[in-house]
Amino acid sequence: MSFSNTDTGDKPADPYKEQNKNETSLKEKVQDLVAFMEKCKFAMMTTRIGDSGLLVSRCMALAAKEGGGIDLLFHTNTESGKTDDLKSDPKINIAFLNSSGEWASVSGEATITTDRETIRKYYSPALKAWVGDLGDGKHDGGPEDPRIGMIAVKAVTATYAITNQSFLSRSMEVTKGMVTGSAPNVNMLRELSEKELEEWRSISS
C-alpha cells in the first residue's frame, strides 16, 4: 500500500532524493554509517507500546556494536517500560542525528539479553547511577545486578544522510535551489537493504 496525492508524469516526484542519492561500495556504505553512529554516540530508540500500539522514543547511549559494526547493543534496566514494549513487539528503530542535520535510521529486530557473561563484557560503572543501589546486597547496580540487561538490535535495513561539504557550500546549494527550483545537492543519501546487511555480516565474521 502506498500514498500519492498527484501525478508528476516523467519527472521525479521527490527531486531531493534523486539529486542526493549516492551509490558506492558496500564497504564504504557500512563504514561511513558505523563511523557516523560512533561519533553521535546517543540515539533515539523507538518501540511500540503493547497495550495502545502507540510509538515511544527514548534517548539511549550506544554501548557496543557487533556484526561488523551494524548490530547495536544498549544497556537497559530490565524492569523498564522499553523491555515490556519489546516483549510485545521486537521491531525497533534506532535514529541518530547531529547538529549539522546529518542523520541515520536503523530498523531491525531487538532481543533482550540477561546473559551475565555479556553483561560483564560491556558493563560500565556509570550504570550504577541510573539503576541505583537498593541496599539489599543484590540490586546494587553492579554487573551481577539482575536488573541490568542489554538490548541487542539486529539491523534489517538502514538509511542515512551524511555530507562532505562545508556549511557554507550547503547553504549556497540551498539558496541556488530556492532561486532555480532545482533540488540542492547537499547530502550523500544512502540505503542498506536487508540483503546487503546480511552480506556484510558474512564477510566480516
Side-chain angles (χ1 to χ4, degrees), residues 15-119:
Y16 165 79
K17 183 174 182 179
E18 290 297 316
Q19 182 75 330
N20 290 272
K21 192 172 182 180
N22 179 264
E23 293 297 339
T24 186
S25 68
L26 175 59
K27 181 178 181 181
E28 185 174 351
K29 284 201 288 187
V30 171
Q31 289 182 340
D32 284 350
L33 171 63
V34 172
F36 179 70
M37 293 189 296
E38 287 178 342
K39 190 173 181 179
C40 285
K41 177 62 176 176
F42 292 97
M44 295 301 289
M45 174 184 288
T46 301
T47 58
R48 187 180 298 277
I49 302 171
D51 58 2
S52 69
L54 295 173
L55 301 177
V56 59
S57 298
R58 303 169 176 87
C59 184
M60 301 286 287
L62 182 61
K65 303 181 302 303
E66 295 180 339
I70 57 176
D71 297 323
L72 312 177
L73 289 97
F74 300 86
H75 294 114
T76 187
N77 183 334
T78 60
E79 311 310 299
S80 69
K82 55 186 171 292
T83 54
D84 292 338
D85 297 347
L86 293 171
K87 183 179 180 181
S88 171
D89 185 350
K91 292 182 175 61
I92 195 168
N93 180 265
I94 308 296
F96 297 84
L97 176 70
N98 69 15
S99 60
S100 297
E102 298 173 299
W103 58 269
S105 172
V106 178
S107 296
E109 300 269 344
T111 55
I112 303 165
T113 179
T114 55
D115 173 66
R116 298 333 293 176
E117 184 176 344
T118 302
I119 304 305

Side-chain angles (χ1 to χ4, degrees), residues 112-133:
I112 303 165
T113 179
T114 55
D115 173 66
R116 298 333 293 176
E117 184 176 344
T118 302
I119 304 305
R120 293 186 203 105
K121 180 179 179 180
Y122 296 119
Y123 177 78
S124 167
L127 291 168
K128 191 169 185 176
W130 296 102
V131 301
D133 184 345

